[in-house]
Amino acid sequence: MLGLRSPAKKTYANCWDVPGGHRKEDETALATLVRELREELGVTPIDANPLVDVIDGCIVHHLFLVTRWSGGEPRVLGEEHVRLTWFSYREAIALPNLALGIYRDIFAQLAAYCMEITPPAPAP
């Protein structure tokens, strides 16, 4: 799931991005994730595994893979995003307006990993 950032945002306007936000000085990366997902999506992550840290200039993005959450279906809250959409890895990789180009590599690696752990069902 990616969020389309508002056209009014100073950074990554009109780009598809992973939900999240700025880490407060006294927060861990996981605490930031929990707070930001509550604020932006109205959900609380239950299973969130650190995935990768991405460096963009002087900013470090801590990416997590969230596989379970409470609070129902994620929904747009606040002004950060104008839309949320579930994409397959292939669809996400093909998006022309990803906030960070490195997302394509990360999504491709996730797709390959998921294929390894979830083999296709046998034909009937």
Side-chain angles (χ1 to χ4, degrees):
M1 185 197 64
L2 297 173
L4 182 62
R5 289 182 53 85
S6 168
K9 300 307 290 181
K10 289 182 182 178
T11 56
Y12 312 118
N14 287 317
C15 288
W16 289 101
D17 200 3
V18 295
H22 295 265
R23 185 171 160 181
K24 294 183 180 178
E25 192 172 318
D26 61 339
E27 283 183 321
T28 64
L30 180 59
T32 301
L33 175 74
V34 170
R35 177 180 53 78
E36 288 287 342
L37 294 189
R38 284 181 185 157
E39 291 174 2
E40 293 181 10
L41 309 179
V43 300
T44 302
I46 295 170
D47 288 332
N49 299 300
L51 192 58
V52 66
D53 292 343
V54 176
I55 299 172
D56 180 31
C58 62
I59 298 172
V60 177
H61 301 267
H62 304 281
L63 300 183
F64 288 81
L65 180 61
V66 178
T67 55
R68 284 190 328 132
W69 60 89
S70 64
E73 186 69 15
R75 58 206 173 276
V76 173
L77 299 175
E79 299 175 0
E80 206 61 40
H81 301 98
V82 294
R83 188 167 81 204
L84 298 173
T85 302
W86 292 98
F87 293 100
S88 69
Y89 291 119
R90 183 173 291 181
E91 292 168 331
I93 290 166
L95 290 169
N97 56 335
L98 285 172
L100 299 176
I102 191 73
Y103 287 167
R104 285 184 184 79
D105 294 335
I106 294 167
F107 298 158
Q109 289 174 13
L110 281 171
Y113 172 75
C114 288
M115 291 298 290
E116 288 176 14
I117 64 170
T118 311

